[in-house]
Amino acid sequence: MSNTIRRMIPTIITFLIGMFTIFVYYIEVPSSISDGSSTIISWGTIIVALATGYGTIILLRNHVRKIQTRQPGEWIYSLTIAVTIFVFPLLYFIAGDTSSIYKLIYDLTISNIGLAVYAIVFFSLATSSYKAFRARNVNSTILLLAGLFVMLQIAPIGAAIWGGFPILGNWILNVPTPGAFRGINIAAAFGLIAIGFRTLLGYDRGHLGISEGEGMED
Amino acid sequence: MNITERLDKLPTWFLNLVFLILLVIPMFQPIGLPIQINEMTRGAYRTIEELPEGSVAIIDYSVGPANILDLASGADAMIYHMFKRNFKLIFISSAADGPMFVEKYPVNVAEKLGKVYGIDYVHLGYFAGAEMGIAAVMNDIGTEYENDYHGTSLNEISLTQEVKNHEQINLAIYIGGGADTMISWIRQVNTPYNIPVVQVVGGTMIAQVTPYFPTQVSGILASLQGSAEYELLVKRPGKAIGGMDSLSLVYGAFILFVLLGNINQIKALLSKGVRK
């Protein structure tokens, strides 16, 4: 495939669509133009839906290979995934996701398993936090104290022990935490703008499947 | 091994057993410790109170099995509050699991209050595309949805005949555990259209959303704590208030274990001096 088709045309499409949607976002334009932008945005959701479907096919292909080669310790899980990938869409097409059978199977599998797993996670988190929360040095002591104050702010027992715990916990949540996150977010936003412009101008071509080192020379 | 060393290395099974017992006790014997109401929760309540009766709210109900127990009580209390103020609610889901839970929880609240489907609320189901999907819905609901969750055309539903895009929407609420989606609602709804955004999120996401409060996010229900506080505000005691007693006991025990487990470390810090 020639360089023009492989690189230049996708770069031009990216530039035009990107600049158009950015332009419409920031500047008041007639409804006929903004409708065009809405259409492009809705294309995006269609592409995401297609990508999800494509991802499912790739996932299925990988697991079917494992089943075919009977990979020890893995193929039974691959079989579970493969069956599940078929069962839910099949049920959807036959009965629809509002049907009682679909809801029943969902509740008996995903819902209950999910709830059980996440309930178990609490115990795992609590015991591992107990082991991790150790005042080994200044940094870990600050982490430990901040964690304890926030927990005492969340649980009513904190206020019952001492009225100052909720105040301290709230202060940690409302002053240093948002301050640090605002700094991180603003820095990340500038980074995102820079990456956006590099992509629109064709300097970053990762979305075209072209690595950083590959040039435009051929 | 002396006592402090033992406290430093309590076995996992013992800790889990203590936590389990403490979680269960308040279910049989509630303690009823007073709950203080956070400013973020008050912000959510105030936002709904200050909007005129009959306002339209779009709700991204994106809970899953992972966070349903954490968020459903607060979400139910908020939906109850909005229905009491005759809000029109449009339920959508940016998470694939969301629609199953809309049918279980918010629809249950609506039915108990005698609200009519299609007039007082509508359930549109899942939308793909995450941030792009939110932008598309706000631009024109019809581009994402032709039918509601039950397959009825939006043209045949009274509420979706009236509400077409962001111009008719007064409030956006995100209920879920997606950190990216949570921020997407701010970027795609509050920033361009100045529509107030309220969020009902899990405890692990609070640090990420508090920087946006109170300007871009008008109110936040933080996990079980926020849910319990909102139940108190709307005078509708539910599971969250009951859960706060369990939370108090478990957190109390956890803090006690952590402090006891740190006796050796504190001794070492005091004797050797602080080292970085």
Side-chain angles (χ1 to χ4, degrees):
Chain A
M1 198 183 285
S2 76
N3 176 54
T4 313
I5 292 171
R6 226 182 122 220
R7 293 167 186 175
M8 286 305 288
I9 290 177
T11 306
I12 290 166
I13 292 170
T14 307
F15 177 79
L16 291 176
I17 289 179
M19 290 310 285
F20 179 63
T21 45
I22 288 171
F23 184 76
V24 172
Y25 184 88
Y26 284 107
I27 292 157
E28 192 98 5
V29 290
S31 62
S32 56
I33 298 174
S34 62
D35 286 350
S37 168
S38 303
T39 306
I40 290 171
I41 290 168
S42 64
W43 290 352
T45 61
I46 294 164
I47 292 166
V48 170
L50 280 173
T52 309
Y54 182 64
T56 310
I57 292 165
I58 300 288
L59 183 77
L60 190 62
R61 196 184 65 177
N62 289 341
H63 285 287
V64 166
R65 273 188 199 148
K66 283 182 184 173
I67 298 164
Q68 281 172 336
T69 54
R70 289 278 199 281
Q71 281 199 14
E74 282 190 36
W75 74 272
I76 190 73
Y77 301 111
S78 295
L79 184 69
T80 313
I81 290 173
V83 169
T84 315
I85 285 174
F86 279 111
V87 165
F88 275 96
L90 209 65
L91 263 173
Y92 176 82
F93 287 119
I94 294 169
D97 59 348
T98 53
S99 66
S100 54
I101 182 76
Y102 188 94
K103 284 179 183 170
L104 183 73
I105 292 178
Y106 181 90
D107 283 343
L108 292 177
T109 56
I110 301 173
S111 189
N112 285 345
I113 293 169
L115 285 169
V117 166
Y118 285 99
I120 292 165
V121 166
F122 157 75
F123 291 101
S124 165
L125 266 176
T127 49
S128 52
S129 301
Y130 159 76
K131 286 166 189 166
F133 273 15
R134 290 287 181 266
R136 292 190 180 92
N137 52 43
V138 174
N139 289 342
S140 60
T141 309
I142 292 170
L143 176 73
L144 170 68
L145 291 175
L148 295 185
F149 286 138
V150 171
M151 287 178 83
L152 287 166
Q153 180 265 331
I154 292 170
I157 199 169
I161 296 168
W162 178 50
F165 282 133
I167 297 166
L168 274 167
N170 268 325
W171 180 81
I172 291 167
L173 279 175
N174 296 329
V175 182
T177 308
F181 261 95
R182 277 185 191 127
I184 294 166
N185 286 345
I186 290 166
F190 277 119
L192 202 63
I193 292 167
I195 290 170
F197 271 108
R198 281 180 62 83
T199 306
L200 288 179
L201 297 172
Y203 291 109
D204 268 346
R205 296 187 295 276
H207 66 295
L208 305 177
I210 300 167
S211 63
E212 191 69 26
E214 284 184 71
M216 306 276 282
E217 63 282 350
D218 52 37
Chain B
M1 195 185 277
N2 63 31
I3 184 79
T4 55
E5 284 170 342
R6 276 176 196 274
L7 289 169
D8 199 357
K9 294 185 180 80
L10 287 171
T12 304
W13 70 265
F14 173 75
L15 294 168
N16 284 340
L17 185 67
V18 172
F19 293 145
L20 183 66
I21 292 167
L22 293 176
L23 275 172
V24 173
I25 287 173
M27 291 180 193
F28 300 101
Q29 187 61 50
I31 306 165
L33 288 168
I35 297 168
Q36 295 189 350
I37 296 170
N38 197 293
E39 194 47 39
M40 293 187 288
T41 311
R42 283 190 198 282
Y45 182 82
R46 217 169 23 236
T47 305
I48 292 169
E49 278 294 305
E50 284 171 2
L51 283 167
E53 284 224 3
S55 294
V56 175
I58 191 160
I59 303 171
D60 181 358
Y61 202 90
S62 291
V63 298
N67 49 21
I68 185 68
L69 296 180
D70 206 14
L71 308 180
S73 304
D76 276 3
M78 191 178 276
I79 289 160
Y80 170 85
H81 185 199
M82 287 187 285
F83 274 140
K84 279 282 175 191
R85 301 210 64 238
N86 294 319
F87 276 33
K88 310 287 180 196
L89 307 186
I90 299 171
F91 292 98
I92 57 173
S93 295
S94 57
D97 287 323
M100 305 294 288
F101 290 99
V102 171
E103 292 292 307
K104 270 189 186 176
Y105 292 89
V107 169
N108 189 30
V109 177
E111 283 171 354
K112 277 184 182 165
L113 290 171
K115 295 291 172 182
V116 182
Y117 185 82
I119 296 170
D120 299 308
Y121 70 102
V122 67
H123 178 204
L124 302 183
Y126 170 71
F127 67 91
E131 184 155 3
M132 274 183 292
I134 296 167
V137 167
M138 296 310 283
N139 270 323
D140 180 2
I141 293 174
T143 58
E144 278 288 317
Y145 297 101
E146 281 184 11
N147 305 316
D148 74 347
Y149 183 61
H150 306 282
T152 311
S153 166
L154 296 199
N155 296 324
E156 294 169 23
I157 299 169
S158 163
L159 185 54
T160 44
Q161 282 171 354
E162 293 165 21
V163 182
K164 297 284 184 194
N165 57 35
H166 63 87
E167 286 173 13
Q168 294 90 39
I169 294 169
N170 310 102
L171 173 67
I173 298 172
Y174 173 72
I175 303 166
D180 290 341
T181 319
M182 177 180 84
I183 307 300
S184 301
W185 277 95
I186 300 167
R187 278 198 294 254
Q188 299 300 335
V189 180
N190 178 266
T191 309
Y193 309 123
N194 208 22
I195 294 171
V197 171
V198 168
Q199 305 205 329
V200 182
V201 295
T204 52
M205 290 161 64
I206 302 308
Q208 291 169 69
V209 73
T210 43
Y212 300 97
F213 175 78
T215 45
Q216 290 109 319
V217 175
S218 313
I220 305 162
L221 259 63
S223 189
L224 191 72
Q225 177 200 15
S227 299
E229 291 169 3
Y230 210 88
E231 283 181 352
L232 273 180
L233 280 172
V234 296
K235 298 179 180 66
R236 184 182 180 267
K239 286 180 183 168
I241 291 177
M244 288 305 276
D245 282 343
S246 294
L247 197 75
S248 277
L249 286 185
V250 171
Y251 276 19
F254 175 81
I255 290 163
L256 187 69
F257 286 139
V258 168
L259 292 176
L260 292 173
N262 271 287
I263 291 173
N264 275 341
Q265 268 76 23
I266 294 163
K267 271 187 194 169
L269 277 176
L270 292 175
S271 62
K272 291 176 189 171
V274 177
R275 61 188 153 83
K276 276 210 170 185

